[in-house]
Amino acid sequence: MTLQNRPTTEELQEKDNRFLHPWEAMNQLGHNQRTIIERGEGIYVYDSDGNRLLDAPGGMWCVNIGHGRREMAEAIYEQVLEMTYASPWGLTNAPAAQLAAKLAELSPGDLNQVFFATGGSTAVDSALRFVMFYNNSLGRPEKKHIISRHKAYHGSTYLGASCCGKERDKSFLDFETGFIHHISDPNPYRRPEGMSVEAFCDFLVDELEAKIRELGPDKVGAFIAEPVMGTGGVIVPPEGYHRRTWEVCREHDVLYISDEVVTAFGRLGHWFASKDVFGIEPDIIIAAKGITSGYLPLSAVLISDRLMQQISGEHGKNAVFSCGFTYSGHPVACAAALKNIEIIEREGLLEHAREVGPYMQARLRELSDIPIVGDVRGIGLMGCVDCVISKGSRDPLILDYEIGNRIDAHCQSLGLIVRPMINMCVMSPPLTITKAQIDDMVGILRQGIERAMVEVEREGVWSEPAVNRGGPAPHA
Ligand SMILES: Cc1ncc(COP(=O)(O)O)c(C=O)c1O
């Protein structure tokens, strides 16, 4: 595009109002003025007015190797020229075959069978359908109930969305409620008053077991859980939670699905967090996002050999897993994933993430002294700032659902994108981020939060409660 015929920001924003965006607010439709991201390089993106912005959410928890990598472009370009598409039904292609073998090598335990889909949601849906297929194949058609958790996010297809547990997203659409159930989210910060973290963990594990018993172990097909709830607000469960819930599932022959759409490919410093961070070997792992670092859409469902062996070969009868997509194992997306993995390996990005992750966590926690900040939490390169009315009550800032957006707007004007979520802001920067860049990020974030706080105070939406100053710390 030449400079002369390049559309202005206003023209693009006008055209963009024809784009029905995810989670579009209907009262704003046609009146949005979204920032137009034009270019990216490393951990930065540039808007259509030329402003440089540090991309703290890493796109949408996905740009793990950073923006604008020439060798990714070349791998994609070469694959397009070499072979753009082949049907995954009767045929296959080299990048898909190589990627399946590579994922089997990188994944924990015996998760060696790989089903490819196009994004996190289609992978979640496919995993849930696989659970149905598995139990039907074993002659257990009743074993279909799925247990998920409040605050979970598992995507936007019908089954995945039904497993989501964010109440605010449930108002205007219909969901499967007959066989999908929700138990408590494991956020230690919002555990019941007076309960220790250990007792909270016991409570959560007992709740899962009770739910399985209530529904009947012969009727529960799977428990689905993110290792760290991302969209729900970077909820890191109490120590031992995953191991114990996984053991409960094992005991009752309930499949454990680990939704690692966000956590896989380095976000917690490992290819997969389930085993290396939380010590569990799930029956199924779902990966997306970081698998290509967002360069192209792709996802994978990794399934345990133990499951496959029970329903294939001589046990396979005439069963056909009638699930798949035109773009399952798309050669160009798989070539991008292979190059992405090669870059992560060659540049030691997992090791780097393990080094800078704790630094980011420590720096972010310094923001706890801001009056409106109730909790700062996270692990690895996932962080969240949770704003509250009062540090004592831990009430989310419900008087102003827009606080996250206000913080984001101030941060953008200062050169930083954060992901606003109601009263929270979450961060998941590219794994390549340096300590100096983390310092910049946290410095701007502090200013953004303080400006938003002054604004809500000035507008009379919030005032600092006396309890903040010298009041008891929550769960003191
Ligand atoms: C844990 C988890 N699962 C599933 C999804 C859905 O992925 P997608 O948006 O690629 O369909 C997401 C997206 O953020 C996610 O965070």
Side-chain angles (χ1 to χ4, degrees), residues 119-121 153-155 226 231 259 261-262 289:
S121 306
Y153 186 71
H154 296 293
E226 300 154 80
T231 306
D259 182 345
V261 165
V262 169
K289 297 192 189 269

Side-chain angles (χ1 to χ4, degrees), residues 43 63-66 69 262-273 276-277 290 293 343-362 364 378-383 427-435 437-438 441:
I43 68 158
V63 189
N64 290 8
I65 59 169
R69 295 261 192 170
V262 169
T263 51
F265 295 96
R267 187 120 316 272
L268 303 192
H270 299 275
W271 293 113
F272 296 95
D276 287 332
V277 182
S293 283
I343 291 171
I344 294 175
E345 280 176 335
R346 193 182 65 227
E347 296 186 2
L349 294 182
L350 301 182
E351 295 76 6
H352 179 76
R354 290 204 287 273
E355 196 201 324
V356 297
Y359 184 76
M360 181 178 101
Q361 296 302 330
L364 282 175
I379 180 171
L381 285 171
M382 292 175 83
M427 275 124 313
S428 55
L431 311 182
T432 51
I433 195 165
T434 63
K435 289 184 178 171
Q437 289 167 333
I438 289 171
M441 181 178 90

